[in-house]
Amino acid sequence: MRHPLNKIVSDIQKEERKLSAETSSFIDEAFKMTVYLQELLRTVKEDVIREGFSNREEEMLFFKQIKPNILGKLIYYNKVFRIETACPANNGNMYQSYFAMHLRILKQEYMEHVCNSDFYRYYRSGRTDRDEQYFMLGNINYHDGLNSFVFEIDPKFSTYFDYKVSKIIGNELIYTYLTTKINPEQQPDILLQNDETKDIFWTHSKNALIELIYALHASGAISHGKIGIRKISMVFQILFRVSLNDIHNSFHRMKTRSGSRTLFIDQLKSSLDDYMDKEDS
């Protein structure tokens, strides 16, 4: 396999972590990830068209998992870039309404075009009995009334349904992104919003929480460092009922602080030392 799935996923995650640390805003990160993924997809396409596949299993794996992992992320970052660059405000009611509108559009698209389709149920159930039909070149059935963009795809690098999988992956990432942009308190269906956890909330500054999130990510303490800042941020926002807007800009401002750049982490250590001393006395 010239493009093993685990290597593709690992390379994308490495680039995400690198750009997350280097870029000054999420807009910049989304743009650079879009460029990176476009180039990666182009390179993989040239290789596939030039060399083909060694067997049917390799071909089906490529179009069911490998290509969709690249294209799905590309769909996500490109959409995020477009949403972010058109955002009308930094916060406030207009800001919340803007992202809520995009979330409604995404949910409507999901209900109308995705969740009720036979292919979506097939893919979600983990079935493999129709993989040869869905994920091998040359099997596009135009009699099924497929979306019109099927006529624009390259038949040497798409089975049509690989795009469907990519769209599912991309939309799920966009959904997560949009829910983190909207105040968790305005999301009644979001995780952990119930009576048992209503007394759990963040009481320090937002910058302190951002500092903690980056420290946990940098140390590899969560999922061995294999998930990104935004996903960790989403969990903390949901858990502590706090809205963190542009955490990247906040983090980059921390890097230029005078004196200690890790004020909250330093405070945590001091507080824990004091607590241990009290326990011993």
Side-chain angles (χ1 to χ4, degrees):
M1 174 67 68
R2 291 180 301 277
H3 303 287
L5 177 62
N6 58 350
K7 186 177 188 307
I8 288 287
V9 172
S10 175
D11 287 347
I12 293 174
Q13 289 175 340
K14 286 179 182 176
E15 188 68 15
E16 286 176 320
R17 290 196 294 271
K18 180 173 79 74
L19 290 177
S20 180
E22 293 177 355
T23 52
S24 59
S25 70
F26 193 20
I27 292 177
D28 191 27
E29 180 182 346
F31 173 75
K32 289 182 177 178
M33 278 302 301
T34 299
V35 173
Y36 166 79
L37 290 163
Q38 281 182 310
E39 179 61 22
L40 177 60
L41 190 63
R42 184 191 64 78
T43 301
V44 171
K45 177 179 180 179
E46 289 177 352
D47 186 35
V48 165
I49 292 177
R50 182 177 62 251
E51 300 186 27
F53 301 99
S54 59
N55 53 55
R56 298 164 71 89
E57 287 70 27
E58 181 177 299
E59 182 174 342
M60 288 186 290
L61 176 65
F62 178 82
F63 287 112
K64 187 175 186 178
Q65 298 186 44
I66 296 173
K67 182 185 173 186
N69 266 279
I70 303 172
L71 183 55
K73 280 288 183 77
L74 179 56
I75 290 170
Y76 161 66
Y77 278 110
N78 181 56
K79 181 67 172 180
V80 165
F81 178 76
R82 290 163 55 199
I83 292 174
E84 288 281 345
T85 52
C87 185
N90 290 327
N91 49 48
N93 291 335
M94 185 180 292
Y95 178 91
Q96 299 292 339
S97 298
Y98 175 74
F99 289 102
M101 174 195 69
H102 279 285
L103 186 59
R104 287 194 300 272
I105 293 171
L106 186 70
K107 288 180 177 179
Q108 182 177 350
E109 178 183 324
Y110 168 79
M111 295 299 295
E112 291 180 357
H113 303 293
V114 179
C115 70
N116 292 323
S117 69
D118 290 338
F119 175 75
Y120 182 79
R121 289 191 289 270
Y122 173 86
Y123 175 73
R124 275 288 174 234
S125 67
R127 288 168 53 189
T128 60
D129 53 289
R130 299 177 71 181
D131 279 5
E132 289 193 21
Q133 173 186 340
Y134 289 136
F135 301 112
M136 292 194 68
L137 295 170
N139 290 338
I140 299 176
N141 185 357
Y142 298 99
H143 295 290
D144 288 343
L146 305 177
N147 291 343
S148 58
F149 81 86
V150 69
F151 302 109
E152 300 176 17
I153 66 175
D154 186 342
K156 293 180 289 186
F157 190 62
S158 180
T159 71
Y160 175 75
F161 288 98
D162 61 273
Y163 176 80
K164 290 282 193 178
V165 177
S166 303
K167 192 70 173 174
I168 292 170
I169 292 172
N171 281 355
E172 288 181 349
L173 291 169
I174 295 165
Y175 177 83
T176 299
Y177 154 76
L178 290 172
T179 56
T180 63
K181 284 290 187 178
I182 300 170
N183 193 324
E185 292 161 353
Q186 297 180 356
Q187 297 298 306
D189 60 339
I190 209 154
L191 295 174
L192 301 178
Q193 297 293 307
N194 55 53
D195 289 339
E196 293 181 1
T197 60
K198 65 182 180 182
D199 57 342
I200 299 176
F201 51 93
W202 187 254
T203 53
H204 213 295
S205 70
K206 291 184 179 183
N207 277 346
L209 183 55
I210 292 170
E211 187 179 321
L212 177 61
I213 289 169
Y214 270 91
L216 291 169
H217 174 67
S219 67
I222 299 177
S223 301
H224 304 289
K226 293 182 179 179
I227 64 173
I229 291 292
R230 279 177 305 284
K231 189 171 288 187
I232 299 173
S233 170
M234 176 194 70
V235 172
F236 277 84
Q237 289 183 78
I238 293 170
L239 176 61
F240 293 126
R241 289 173 167 77
V242 60
S243 177
L244 301 175
N245 295 328
D246 196 340
I247 67 172
H248 293 284
N249 279 335
S250 298
F251 176 69
H252 282 278
R253 286 194 295 271
M254 292 177 194
K255 295 198 296 186
T256 59
R257 283 173 177 167
S258 59
S260 175
R261 298 189 298 177
T262 55
L263 294 174
F264 183 58
I265 302 300
D266 295 343
Q267 181 184 335
L268 283 180
K269 182 180 183 304
S270 176
S271 298
L272 182 56
D273 282 337
D274 291 343
Y275 186 79
M276 287 178 172
D277 290 339
K278 291 177 183 177
E279 289 288 300
D280 291 338
S281 60

